[in-house]
Amino acid sequence: MVRNEKISARQFGILVALYSIGTTILIVPAVLAEEAKQDAWIAALLGVGIGIVLVGLFIAVGSLIPSMSLVELMEELLGKWLGKAVSLTFIFFALVTASELLYFVGNFITTQIMPETPMQSINIIFACVVVMGVRLGIETLARSAELLFPLFVFLFLVFVIFVSPEVKVENIQPVLEADFKDLLRAAIYFISVFSLPTVVLLMVYPASVNRPNEAKKNFFSGVIIAGVTLIIMIALSILVLGVTTTQLQIYPSYSLAKKINVGNFLQRIEIVMAGMWFISIFFKLSLYFYASVTGLAQTLNVKDYRFLTLPLGVVMVALSMLVHPNTLHSFEYNRETWLSYVSTYGLFLPLLLLGVYAFRRKGRQDMATSSNETKSE
Amino acid sequence: MAFIGILAIAGIIAMAEVPRLRRKGHKKELWVFMLLLLLGTGISIAESLSVKVPNPIDGIAYLYKPINDFIQGILK
């Protein structure tokens, strides 16, 4: 595998932030409002807290053998054949999720912005940009993230400032009304979208980061930045739209942007605000796609991953038209199957790798001590 | 009509990559490339002709259904 590509710790932090915001910012407020009503923001707070613990888990897995990506680590720890088999399912996971995100992009644009354009054309154009980005490499992606992040922050601040006059405090009262189980269910859904997919970033960290130790801190701060952004977004959705409207929307934050009205003059600027989501979804999608492409290259032991981008891009576009026949299907999948599917890779796989590593090291130590004993005898 | 366009795109992609891979003598890469391109083009053409293609996500949902029901049961 070509290993000369390195990104800085700062760039990694920005990638983490944009990746975690990803699609979460668009779809999560509706489900959280449905589960936890006006306490959705508390559920998000809880979710971010657990998310930070999960980052600790991912860092622990990344630090086992810092020169290896997740796929190489699996092959090293689980053995050649089992490792390769698990890697292939991981690559499948990354590719299917990438095409699902592409479906979201297409669905968002065709239902909200350009209803008469066929979804295929939007998916193909967006996929072209993603394939181009991944082909140019993680360095280029990271640098463009560094460049676009200030724009993201600017749009977000403008959004918050312009929406805040519409806030009605009554909408979140009474606080802490939801019972604990509802809150927990909402928080678990939040984690499944916000922090468990972060395992995909182990394809970048620590092998492609130039100072992995410094990047640990940035991993945490990236997740915290993303978490705060999302909590603000969820709180605003409920404060401005109210619980009922929020839970009935597919994309509540987009409806929120439609509410912007400055002096009856600056109105309907939601498409400018949508730039924010295009940035974050682009990076999430690119990183998923990058993980599947480099993962496949590493599983097959080929030096350069670039030749895989175009054919896998075609597969991704084809799958994006296939994965969800309608919005209801995607809704059900995200509510029911997604949690257990992503936990397989986001929770059980890291724990399994840590366990196997500890077990093998212990075995090796036992062997070393017993061989020393035999020598001394 | 659509499948002519898909074939044309597949052809362009193959023309862009195959000579480079062949020049370097990467046999394995060439096979993987062709296989994936065939897969992608195949699914696309099937979709454009409205042939029913099995949905991988339905397979995942089927596979994970017992675990899902268990988790949903706890959380309900």
Side-chain angles (χ1 to χ4, degrees), chain B residues 59-73:
Chain B
I60 296 163
Y62 179 76
L63 214 64
Y64 277 90
K65 197 167 183 332
I67 311 169
N68 275 335
D69 291 345
F70 178 68
I71 297 174
Q72 302 293 337

Side-chain angles (χ1 to χ4, degrees), chain A residues 135 300 318 323 329 340 344, chain B residues 17 28 47 55 58 64 68:
Chain A
R135 224 179 143 76
L300 296 170
V323 282
H329 186 278
S340 38
T344 320
Chain B
E17 290 281 4
K28 185 164 67 174
E47 271 170 37
N55 181 352
D58 286 341
Y64 277 90
N68 275 335

Side-chain angles (χ1 to χ4, degrees), chain A residues 7 37 45 49 52 60 66 72 81 83 86 106 127 152 155 161 168 180 197 208 242 252 254 260 297 303 327:
Chain A
I7 61 173
K37 305 293 175 215
L45 201 65
I52 290 168
E72 291 167 314
W81 293 107
V86 178
F152 181 89
L155 284 175
I161 293 165
K168 293 183 205 70
F180 184 69
S208 300
Y254 192 66
I260 291 175
K303 284 210 177 59
T327 314

Side-chain angles (χ1 to χ4, degrees), chain A residues 92 135 181 185 300 302 307-308 310-311 314-315 318-319 321-323 329 333 335-337 340-341 344, chain B residues 13 17 28-29 32-33 36-37 40 43-44 47 53-58 60-61 64 68 72 74-76:
Chain A
F92 179 75
R135 224 179 143 76
K181 238 176 177 176
R185 209 163 52 230
L300 296 170
V302 292
F307 76 98
L308 287 167
L310 282 170
V314 176
V315 175
L319 280 179
M321 298 307 299
L322 183 74
V323 282
H329 186 278
Y333 171 75
R335 291 294 295 278
E336 286 164 17
T337 314
S340 38
Y341 191 33
T344 320
Chain B
I13 291 174
E17 290 281 4
K28 185 164 67 174
E29 276 96 326
V32 174
F33 176 85
L36 284 172
L37 192 60
I43 301 174
S44 304
E47 271 170 37
V53 188
N55 181 352
I57 274 188
D58 286 341
I60 296 163
Y64 277 90
N68 275 335
Q72 302 293 337
I74 295 175
L75 289 174
K76 268 277 135 57

